[in-house]
Amino acid sequence: MKKTVLFGMALLCTLGLFGCKMQKEQEKVVEDEGVHVVNSFAKTPDDQIETAEEVIEISYDQMSDDTWCANGMTYAYKLEVSGTMNSKEPDTTYTILSNRYPISFEQAFKESALTHAGNKFFDLEDAVIVAVRISERKMPEVQCVLHEEEVSGEKKFNTNFLWGRHELGDTIEVYYKNEADTPAMVTLYRYNRIAAQKELGTVAVAPHSEGVYTYTFEGTNHGAYSVGIVEQDGKALAGELRVYQLEERYR
């Protein structure tokens, strides 16, 4: 009887130890599989804001369960929205942590503006802007080639009428590559309804160099134009002429 009791107690201790061991292993597994930070994005220091490509305004973390955390809040999405509120302004990209989808650029712009004014467009649990990136806009593509040809063998050269059009923008660019040994004068002219010629501007192009004259005009001045080139020393012209009508340029 005594042996039986001792055996039973030993068995219970063994099972107890085994159970404790199993419990510790289970706790360890749960800890390993818990949500943890996999990547952190620190707020941009004040002395680096002017030179940073992207300014992180609020520190935030990427979590192991594909969520995002900032200011003690958890968000399901990380969004990037880009755009501009003014055609003359550079593009802006907002990085947003959000529990709502989608978010438009206009909404992000309002959130940014109100936040800097001490207010909010979104509730904090819905969305927060954590970073801003501003990209300089590239020069727009040429919309239309009004004229393009080689100029050679003449002391004076004039194009036929070139027609500027409303839908192509308000800038005409005259490019001339002077391949002669003497300078040339390149002039842009505009014509009114009775074909009266008005000189808009001239660029002097040195020998073996390039010159560009850019004319920006009001919409009412769309119409007929021409380009004249004169060799200053009376010798033959040699070069390339291109006339573009461009979108508004972003300076």
Side-chain angles (χ1 to χ4, degrees):
M1 179 67 180
K2 186 176 181 180
K3 289 184 178 180
T4 304
V5 172
L6 291 174
F7 177 77
M9 291 178 65
L11 180 61
L12 287 173
C13 289
T14 302
L15 291 175
L17 290 173
F18 181 74
C20 291
K21 184 178 180 182
M22 285 291 294
Q23 184 177 0
K24 289 182 178 179
E25 288 182 352
Q26 288 174 355
E27 289 176 354
K28 184 177 180 180
V29 170
V30 170
E31 183 180 359
D32 288 345
E33 292 181 352
V35 179
H36 57 275
V37 175
V38 296
N39 204 357
S40 293
F41 302 83
K43 181 179 178 180
T44 303
D46 291 342
D47 60 352
Q48 297 179 19
I49 289 178
E50 293 297 326
T51 58
E53 183 175 334
E54 180 181 56
V55 176
I56 299 177
E57 298 182 339
I58 298 173
S59 298
Y60 65 100
D61 297 317
Q62 180 183 5
M63 309 306 292
S64 58
D65 63 348
D66 295 327
T67 61
W68 304 83
C69 289
N71 289 335
M73 303 292 296
T74 299
Y75 300 93
Y77 308 108
K78 179 182 179 181
L79 310 175
E80 284 194 355
V81 294
S82 301
T84 181
M85 297 302 293
N86 186 324
S87 62
K88 294 184 180 180
E89 296 296 328
D91 288 332
T92 301
T93 299
Y94 296 107
T95 300
I96 306 168
L97 304 185
S98 174
N99 283 321
R100 54 182 292 171
Y101 179 85
I103 291 177
S104 68
F105 175 79
E106 289 75 15
Q107 291 174 321
F109 180 83
K110 290 178 182 178
E111 168 71 7
S112 177
L114 288 172
T115 298
H116 287 93
N119 209 331
K120 295 286 289 179
F121 179 76
F122 293 119
D123 292 331
L124 186 60
E125 60 268 21
D126 287 338
V128 62
I129 294 175
V130 292
V132 179
R133 183 172 68 252
I134 296 179
S135 305
E136 291 298 328
R137 302 193 70 176
K138 295 181 180 179
M139 198 71 71
E141 296 292 329
V142 172
Q143 293 296 293
C144 182
V145 178
L146 299 182
H147 190 87
E148 185 172 19
E149 68 174 291
E150 292 184 2
V151 179
S152 62
E154 301 178 41
K155 297 178 182 179
K156 289 186 177 181
F157 173 88
N158 278 86
T159 65
N160 294 324
F161 286 154
L162 317 171
W163 296 97
R165 302 203 304 273
H166 287 275
E167 67 271 19
L168 295 180
D170 291 341
T171 301
I172 287 181
E173 182 176 279
V174 180
Y175 162 85
Y176 183 65
K177 181 179 181 181
N178 186 4
E179 298 175 349
D181 294 329
T182 51
M185 303 297 292
V186 182
T187 304
L188 177 67
Y189 302 97
R190 181 169 61 84
Y191 299 85
N192 61 18
R193 293 182 179 180
I194 59 174
Q197 184 186 72
K198 178 181 179 181
E199 182 178 318
L200 299 178
T202 300
V203 59
V205 186
H208 304 287
S209 66
E210 301 174 2
V212 177
Y213 175 73
T214 302
Y215 170 60
T216 301
F217 51 94
E218 300 295 332
T220 55
N221 290 341
H222 289 74
Y225 297 83
S226 72
V227 175
I229 306 174
V230 178
E231 231 295 345
Q232 287 187 323
D233 293 341
K235 297 182 179 180
L237 294 166
E240 299 175 6
L241 172 69
R242 291 197 293 274
V243 184
Y244 304 121
Q245 188 172 0
L246 307 177
E247 288 183 352
E248 182 179 4
R249 287 178 174 265
Y250 301 99
R251 299 295 184 182

